[in-house]
């Protein structure tokens, strides 16, 4: 029949258009693909190969790491600091994102600007600002001394506390932004329905809002944890003797000892451990996710 | 000795600017630091003073890589600079690093000499870092040092 053949032709034409569109989309992805492929994957592969070719195939750098007590200490510090930073960011960031998602647009915009201003300020500037605040003769200690609350300056930096303050501050936007974008998408009528059915504000938050915001929690925690694990400047400046993180050890091996092979092995191990944690965490987080939220 | 002071040390600094900043901010009361920068901030009016007593002298070298394209020019530059004590003296006037050419001190005032680590009066109170030994043992010592720090 003429009618059906015409529609077949239209369908074929449409398919052709779609295919061309698809091809065009791939073409548009090409620059990003090349960018990441050349500038990220190639150096990553190079790092892995540096860690096992020195100058012939060897696993001695890995053997060295796994036999070195310093390696385990530093790995432990790295994960301790990353975990505490993530918890700190979540505890501080969740209420901020919650407020932003519920505030009037003008207020939400204002809060967003505050979050972004700190996001845009250089990491180094922010870390040095904390040094001015936390120092022995810094703003906070001087204030507390002047008021008479303390008689000796408190040790606020060159210790774990200083590292955590600096890192939580620097990484807070990475928690707030994913949380906010997920919370913004939560249908508020669900909360109203819960309250309508007799749940108080606390229960409706606990049983409805909190589970629905879980993807944001997962995303934010992952981002913060993974960035923390590779951190280097803030712990180097605000940390004390025992707060050495993997990034610092790697930097030391490269810049002081020119030991590229060992540094590459350390970087590879950190990468693998973080990747494994990521997979494990994703598994746990998806299992916990209630069916409605995924 | 290090074990005894370990718990009282605020920061085991890594970058030279760091220790100067900590001294001028009053973050620490006492430090081991680089003489050149110390002299500079002292001149700028910072409330710090220092002494070369038991200091460690590090030397720097002019290095030409093997097969360098401009080897001839580099050699000429070194000859022009190193063979001329006046230039050494002038260099140390701009940044208080000690000249290695001892004749340079003939072109300096006593006050200028007193600031420099390689001036004879200062040099005899210090010891020299043994580059050859460090070249052989750096990796081992760095590992031992880190293990000690983290303990």
């Amino acid at each position: 029949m003429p009618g059906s053949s015409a529609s077949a032709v239209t369908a074929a034409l449409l398919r052709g258009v779609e295919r061309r569109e698809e091809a065009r989309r791939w073409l548009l992805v090409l620059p990003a693909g090349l960018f990441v492929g050349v500038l990220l994957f190639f150096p990553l592969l190079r790092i892995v190969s540096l860690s096992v070719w020195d100058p012939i195939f060897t696993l001695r750098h890995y053997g060295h790491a796994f036999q070195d007590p310093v390696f385990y200490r530093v790995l432990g510090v790295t994960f301790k600091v990353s975990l505490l930073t993530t918890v700190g960011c979540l505890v501080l960031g969740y209420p901020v994102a919650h407020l932003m998602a519920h505030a009037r647009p003008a207020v939400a915009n204002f809060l967003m600007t505050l979050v972004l201003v700190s996001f845009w300020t250089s990491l180094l500037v922010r870390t040095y600002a904390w040094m001015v605040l936390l120092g022995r003769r810094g703003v906070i200690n001087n204030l507390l001394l002047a008021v008479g609350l303390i008689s000796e300056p408190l040790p606020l930096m060159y210790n774990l506390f200083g590292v955590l303050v600096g890192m939580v501050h620097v990484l807070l936007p990475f928690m707030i932004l994913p949380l906010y974008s997920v919370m913004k998408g939560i249908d508020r009528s669900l909360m109203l329905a819960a309250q309508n059915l007799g749940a108080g504000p606390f229960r409706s938050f606990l049983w409805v809002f909190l589970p629905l915001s879980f993807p944001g929690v997962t995303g934010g925690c992952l981002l913060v944890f993974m960035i923390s694990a590779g951190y280097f400047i803030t712990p180097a400046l605000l940390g004390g003797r025992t707060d050495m993180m993997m990034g610092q050890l790697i930097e030391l091996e490269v810049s002081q000892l020119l030991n590229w092979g060992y540094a590459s092995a350390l970087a590879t191990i950190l990468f693998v451990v973080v990747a494994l944690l990521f997979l494990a965490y994703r598994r746990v987080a998806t299992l916990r996710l209630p069916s409605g939220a995924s | 000795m290090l074990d005894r002071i370990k718990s009282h040390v605020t920061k085991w600094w890594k970058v030279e600017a760091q220790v100067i900043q900590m001294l001028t901010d009053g973050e620490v009361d006492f430090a081991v630091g680089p003489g050149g920068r110390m002299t500079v901030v002292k001149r700028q009016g910072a409330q710090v003073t220092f002494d070369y007593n038991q200091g460690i002298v590090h030397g720097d070298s002019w290095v030409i890589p093997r097969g360098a394209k401009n080897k001839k020019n580099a050699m000429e530059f070194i000859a022009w600079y190193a063979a001329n004590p006046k230039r050494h003296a002038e260099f140390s006037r701009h940044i208080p690093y000690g000249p290695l050419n001892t004749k340079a001190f003939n072109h300096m005032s006593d006050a200028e000499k007193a600031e420099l680590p390689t001036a004879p009066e200062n040099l005899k109170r210090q010891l020299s870092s043994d580059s050859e030994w460090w070249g052989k043992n750096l990796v081992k010592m760095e590992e031992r040092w880190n293990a000690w720090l983290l303990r």
Side-chain angles (χ1 to χ4, degrees):
Chain A
M1 272 198 296
S4 71
S5 78
S7 72
V9 169
T10 317
L13 270 174
L14 274 176
R15 264 202 303 279
V17 169
E18 224 158 74
R19 256 203 300 276
R20 249 172 297 153
E21 287 249 312
E22 170 104 28
R24 212 173 293 145
R25 274 197 287 271
W26 276 106
L27 204 66
L28 286 171
V29 166
L30 200 65
L34 279 176
F35 183 75
V36 173
V38 173
L39 296 177
L40 182 70
F41 283 113
F42 179 71
L44 270 181
L45 283 176
R46 181 102 179 89
I47 281 176
V48 175
S49 80
L50 268 174
S51 73
V52 291
W53 290 100
D54 192 12
I56 52 156
F57 182 80
T58 171
L59 287 176
R60 76 185 152 91
H61 293 307
Y62 290 91
H64 179 187
F66 291 124
Q67 276 165 18
D68 186 0
V70 169
F71 166 79
Y72 292 103
R73 275 300 299 265
V74 172
L75 196 67
V77 170
T78 305
F79 287 120
K80 182 177 77 182
V81 170
S82 305
L83 197 68
L84 290 173
T85 303
T86 309
V87 172
C89 284
L90 185 61
V91 169
L92 294 181
Y94 198 92
V96 178
H98 188 262
L99 177 64
M100 275 164 65
H102 291 84
R104 283 182 290 118
V107 178
N109 274 339
F110 175 70
L111 290 171
M112 179 60 100
T113 313
L114 288 185
V115 172
L116 288 179
V117 163
S118 88
F119 196 46
W120 288 330
T121 313
S122 147
L123 161 66
L124 219 52
V125 171
R126 283 187 283 167
T127 304
Y128 274 108
W130 277 114
M131 293 175 78
V132 173
L133 289 171
L134 299 175
R136 193 169 69 136
R137 293 205 199 151
V139 177
I140 294 172
N141 269 324
N142 275 350
L143 194 73
L144 292 177
L145 283 169
V147 175
L149 278 172
I150 51 171
S151 54
E152 285 273 300
L154 297 172
L156 298 175
M157 68 173 181
Y158 303 129
N159 52 26
L160 182 64
F161 177 79
V163 176
L164 289 179
V165 168
M167 287 188 54
V168 166
H169 174 229
V170 169
L171 295 173
L172 204 48
F174 291 94
M175 183 63 85
I176 294 176
L177 295 177
L179 278 174
Y180 173 71
S181 75
V182 168
M183 286 180 185
K184 198 74 191 147
I186 294 175
D187 190 348
R188 281 222 247 156
S189 55
L190 291 171
M191 300 281 289
L192 293 176
Q195 288 181 17
N196 214 11
L197 291 170
F202 180 71
R203 277 185 63 190
S204 67
F205 169 79
L206 195 68
W207 293 102
V208 180
F209 192 86
L210 188 65
L212 287 175
S213 69
F214 228 81
V217 174
T218 312
C221 286
L222 268 181
L223 260 180
V224 172
F225 186 88
M226 290 191 343
I227 301 173
S228 300
Y231 239 57
F232 147 71
I233 294 173
T234 308
L237 289 174
L238 294 174
R241 165 171 73 83
T242 50
D243 303 313
M244 191 193 264
M245 288 178 73
M246 202 53 98
Q248 288 162 269
L249 187 58
I250 293 170
E251 189 264 352
L252 180 92
E253 292 293 334
V254 171
S255 71
Q256 304 273 313
L257 308 176
L258 300 177
N259 197 349
W260 286 88
Y262 188 49
S264 303
L266 291 177
T268 309
I269 294 169
L270 184 63
F271 179 80
V272 169
V273 174
V274 171
L276 288 176
L277 278 175
F278 168 70
L279 293 174
Y281 180 82
R282 270 244 313 231
R283 228 184 137 75
V284 174
T286 348
L287 285 180
R288 284 238 194 90
L289 220 61
S291 54
S294 48
Chain B
M1 179 65 194
L2 282 171
D3 279 330
R4 262 172 57 205
I5 64 167
K6 192 178 184 183
S7 60
H8 303 287
V9 175
T10 306
K11 178 84 179 173
W12 302 86
W13 58 267
K14 264 193 82 177
V15 189
E16 291 183 342
Q18 225 175 343
V19 64
I20 301 297
Q21 193 66 46
M22 292 177 76
L23 278 169
T24 51
D25 284 351
E27 198 63 51
V28 294
D29 299 322
F30 182 66
V32 179
R37 284 176 195 243
M38 214 80 96
T39 309
V40 171
V41 288
K42 205 176 144 187
R43 279 183 197 164
Q44 288 167 352
Q47 296 296 306
V48 293
T49 193
F50 73 98
D51 194 73
Y52 281 116
N53 189 23
Q54 295 182 48
I56 301 171
V57 183
H58 295 272
D60 278 331
S61 315
W62 294 105
V63 179
I64 306 169
R66 184 170 296 166
K69 265 190 257 168
N70 285 308
K71 184 180 168 190
K72 194 170 150 280
N73 286 338
M75 295 290 259
E76 273 172 21
F77 169 77
I78 292 175
W80 172 83
Y81 175 80
N84 191 326
K86 267 190 188 162
R87 289 194 186 101
H88 277 235
E90 193 54 32
F91 179 88
S92 297
R93 224 162 261 141
H94 289 285
I95 179 131
Y97 294 159
L100 285 176
N101 189 328
T102 47
K103 281 185 198 145
F105 293 110
N106 298 336
H107 305 278
M108 288 183 200
S109 70
D110 283 348
E112 282 171 336
K113 272 190 245 178
E115 283 186 335
L116 298 172
T118 54
E121 282 304 306
N122 290 329
L123 198 56
K124 67 184 180 200
R125 294 188 297 149
Q126 301 172 88
L127 50 112
S128 301
S129 144
D130 184 348
S131 304
E132 215 175 307
W133 187 87
W134 279 108
K136 274 186 213 128
N137 297 292
L138 181 64
V139 174
K140 207 169 69 196
M141 294 313 286
E142 195 75 62
E143 251 167 39
R144 223 175 110 184
W145 174 251
N146 281 329
W148 178 80
L149 270 187
L150 289 169
R151 215 181 301 137

